[in-house]
Amino acid sequence: MKLFTHHEFDNHEQVVFCHDKASGLKAIIAIHNTHRGPALGGCRMYPYASEAEALNDVLRLSRGMTYKSAIANLPLGGGKSVIIGDPRRDKTQALMRAMGLAVERLGGRYIVAEDSGTHVADMQLIGEVTNHVSGIAEKCDAEGNCRSGDPSPMTARGTFVGIQAAVRHRLGREDLHGLRVAIQGVGNVGHHLAKHLHDAGAQIWVSDINREAVQHMVNELGAVAVANEEIYDQDVDVFAPCAMGAILNDETIPRLRARIVAGAANNQLAEKRHGSILTEKGILYAPDYVINAGGVIDVCYERNATDPQQIVRQVDAIGETLSEIFNRAEQQHRPTDELADQLAEERFA
Ligand code: NAD
């Protein structure tokens, strides 16, 4: 297995392989870049088919966090961790505490938060052995409305604001009344996004491999249920991917009828060239790590005891960042994802 010559290595500062015999922990922590501050990024637990697959994932995700935090103007670098194992079968309290100790040994260069396969309760266990953890504190606004450390509602809010910016830019309209949006995946982020869109008067189409989640949206919001494979073909204005990555590819892009792709899923472009293909097709793409930065903004400021209203203002600023990217991309006849990368690189270089 290659490391320094790995195709995803991209000048990582530090890659740590963590093992604890007693709990069975096998994890990798990758720190891509700390120029702007400590590397904050989620801990993903997944039954990777091989160690090589886990390494590939952590390197790719940690690099993405550097770009995401830089473009959101956060005082953070980029990092990520993965635990090799099935969260439903292999996760134990001892394992999570062992992960916490591995984080603690890095002395604050890496700050851990939840990701797929881990939750607030896991971060609380990690918090028993290290302070370098986020996404655990309850947050309350001035009216006394409180929510858990889960960053998903803020990710959804940022995605909603990003859709507004994209609609303004591409469709020239301010309000979302009657806007047609197809959401792929109505889990933590997708279902909050659906509610924002519904409240703004949009019509919603949803797909999810979890039938119950779809039915919930049909009952609660009057959404139209769509079979999984048919979500790309819907006659809508916006396609919002909120499930998995690599869904913008040679097979799906020709099927899209939406003029805007704007959703929360990470790593939506199967390959870099798909950003150019979307531009050539006249589809406005909101770069994933820009539009889905609401969650990292939330966990970043949780550590500084920042006023919740300030967090909301910073999440809402995602709309302005996207507008700047859309305008620059149009002026320079370049894909939006390229512009986003350039802007982020200027900020963490
Ligand atoms: P989640 O697991 O709660 O929800 C994902 C949903 O997608 C689930 O309901 C799942 O059943 C569904 N799904 C999986 N495969 C599917 C498929 N092939 N077709 C249709 N639906 C499918 O995850 P989440 O926290 O809502 O995150 C969604 C996406 O947003 C992920 O890509 C995640 O990396 C990204 N993201 C999340 C956050 C956050 O704060 N949670 C922040 C940034 C990015």
Side-chain angles (χ1 to χ4, degrees), residues 141-296:
D141 63 18
E143 285 82 46
N145 303 313
C146 297
R147 60 185 176 85
S148 79
D150 175 14
S152 308
M154 282 296 138
T155 304
R157 184 181 176 110
T159 307
F160 174 70
V161 169
I163 290 177
Q164 285 178 312
V167 167
R168 201 175 300 123
H169 185 87
R170 178 46 49 92
L171 306 179
R173 28 183 303 201
E174 284 298 327
D175 81 291
L176 304 190
H177 199 82
L179 186 84
R180 296 162 303 165
V181 186
I183 307 178
Q184 180 182 47
V186 280
N188 285 329
V189 178
H191 90 270
H192 284 295
L193 175 65
K195 282 186 197 158
H196 282 297
L197 289 164
H198 177 260
D199 292 348
Q203 288 174 263
I204 302 157
W205 281 255
V206 294
S207 73
D208 197 298
I209 48 170
N210 175 352
R211 284 197 192 163
E212 263 179 49
V214 170
Q215 196 53 46
H216 186 60
M217 292 290 99
V218 172
N219 297 344
E220 193 184 341
L221 308 178
V224 179
V226 178
N228 277 325
E229 254 316 294
E230 290 168 16
I231 195 74
Y232 305 103
D233 310 307
Q234 299 308 306
D235 185 11
V236 291
D237 303 300
V238 180
F239 172 53
C242 294
M244 52 322 160
I247 33 69
L248 299 171
N249 54 45
D250 292 335
E251 197 266 316
T252 59
I253 294 176
R255 291 165 57 187
L256 291 178
R257 298 166 79 182
R259 294 178 65 199
I260 294 168
V261 174
N266 276 314
N267 302 317
Q268 292 173 28
L269 300 172
E271 293 170 45
K272 189 87 191 133
R273 65 188 174 85
H274 292 113
S276 310
I277 296 174
L278 286 170
T279 310
E280 282 157 21
K281 234 187 143 229
I283 298 173
L284 181 67
Y285 169 59
D288 44 20
Y289 65 81
V290 185
I291 194 169
N292 72 18
V296 74

Side-chain angles (χ1 to χ4, degrees), residues 5 17 23 26 60 73 88 105 115 216 254 319 331 338 349:
T5 52
F17 295 83
S23 64
K26 279 187 196 151
R60 202 173 46 90
N73 268 321
R88 278 171 294 196
R105 283 187 202 111
D115 197 78
H216 186 60
Q331 284 156 10
E338 245 183 64

